[in-house]
Amino acid sequence: MRASELLAAEVRTVDGRRLGVVTGLRCSLDGPSQGPTPAPRVRALVVTGRHVGAALGYQQENQRGPWLVRALIRALHRRSRLVDVGLIDRVEAGTVRLSAEPD
């Protein structure tokens, strides 16, 4: 699974309900190593109802910038959720299908 396949993909539940789009990935550095540094491993998808402004990064904590832009983007993304990669059933044609309901 590549990051490019996941980012901007629509996320659907088992019953086909739309959760939103993938706007980010949460990773850890504990994957198989082919050098001095471990490879990144995707742990969770950041899923939000809107894609607008997600690339700016203002919905993340500790981001600075114009307060008005920051407030607007955070308001748009206030219902963001993390979806564990263990719930992914398949990724096809810009859609991530889950095998179970996320918490």
Side-chain angles (χ1 to χ4, degrees):
M1 197 172 352
R2 301 178 65 84
S4 60
E5 294 175 307
L6 298 172
L7 292 170
E10 189 173 71
V11 179
R12 298 236 172 224
T13 61
V14 175
D15 59 358
R17 185 173 47 90
R18 183 182 184 276
L19 281 183
V21 294
V22 179
T23 58
L25 305 172
R26 293 289 185 258
C27 302
S28 61
L29 287 176
D30 62 353
S33 178
Q34 294 184 359
T37 309
R41 183 186 308 257
V42 177
R43 295 293 183 186
L45 309 175
V46 180
V47 179
T48 186
R50 297 184 173 103
H51 198 309
V52 176
L56 298 174
Y58 284 110
Q59 75 275 18
Q60 299 173 10
E61 292 296 319
N62 301 322
Q63 293 298 320
R64 299 196 179 265
W67 72 269
L68 183 58
V69 174
R70 186 174 63 235
L72 249 158
I73 299 299
R74 284 189 180 162
L76 287 172
H77 295 280
R78 69 182 169 272
R79 290 195 174 100
S80 293
R81 61 168 49 183
L82 291 178
V83 175
D84 188 83
V85 293
L87 296 177
I88 296 176
D89 181 35
R90 63 187 184 277
V91 179
E92 57 186 15
T95 304
V96 174
R97 302 276 179 187
L98 302 180
S99 60
E101 283 291 319
D103 294 332

